Amino acid sequence: VSFASLRLHLIGGWPCTTELETMGNSAGKLQLKWKELQELLEVTHFTQDEIAALYGHFQKISASQADDGLIDKAEFQESLGLKDRMFGDRIFQLIDENGDGVINFREFLCGRSVICTRGTGEQKVQFSFRLYDLDRD
């Protein structure tokens, strides 16, 4: 896990953007508007510092095969180390909320938030149900 720092940029005295930057790698920046950061804080169970640290983890996974800032199925499978490809594919489909075939940082955070120990029991039950509800009925 990379160390990460969170820097708030103030424009006109108001926090307008947030830059997440992995330490020692200026190319690894994710710019978030203050409103986007606030939304991530509300919809996930993570703090600002945890979001910054998870961005470092996201960046490492997303660059493991193609350094494009997105996690594709192959990178996702490799990061999980699962031998059951069908199970890994299904988890990928659930985390890829918009169905575009890649996981962006927001989807990564939201998926991790449910799966981690801080996800509520109801969130975990819903995720588990969706995992096995292949026909989505």
Side-chain angles (χ1 to χ4, degrees):
V1 176
S2 312
F3 292 100
S5 64
L6 179 71
R7 293 185 292 153
L8 296 178
H9 293 273
L10 301 177
I11 299 174
W14 292 97
C16 293
T17 63
T18 299
E19 236 179 53
L20 298 174
E21 178 182 342
T22 55
M23 189 179 293
N25 183 2
S26 61
K29 293 182 183 178
L30 174 70
Q31 295 248 344
L32 293 175
K33 293 180 181 172
W34 182 250
K35 185 177 177 180
E36 292 170 326
L37 176 61
Q38 289 302 107
E39 180 192 353
L40 290 174
L41 290 168
E42 289 174 18
V43 300
T44 69
H45 301 282
F46 299 121
T47 65
Q48 288 182 3
D49 290 340
E50 290 167 330
I51 289 172
L54 284 167
Y55 178 67
H57 188 63
F58 171 82
Q59 184 181 25
K60 182 179 176 183
I61 295 169
S62 70
S64 66
Q65 294 186 15
D67 193 2
D68 56 2
L70 299 166
I71 298 174
D72 62 30
K73 271 190 186 180
E75 291 168 326
F76 186 76
Q77 291 280 1
E78 182 182 306
S79 73
L80 291 178
L82 291 175
K83 295 183 191 243
D84 185 346
R85 204 159 214 31
M86 188 174 118
F87 187 67
D89 283 349
R90 187 66 187 130
I91 294 172
F92 182 90
Q93 289 171 348
L94 292 178
I95 294 174
D96 178 19
E97 293 174 351
N98 64 6
D100 64 355
V102 291
I103 296 172
N104 61 37
F105 183 58
R106 184 187 189 289
E107 292 169 328
F108 177 79
L109 273 183
C110 290
R112 290 286 301 254
S113 180
V114 171
I115 295 169
C116 79
T117 58
R118 294 186 202 157
T120 67
E122 182 178 336
Q123 288 174 320
K124 290 175 190 287
V125 167
Q126 288 177 357
F127 185 86
S128 297
F129 178 79
R130 290 178 36 224
L131 184 64
Y132 292 101
D133 182 25
L134 299 178
D135 60 1
R136 297 182 181 152
D137 60 356

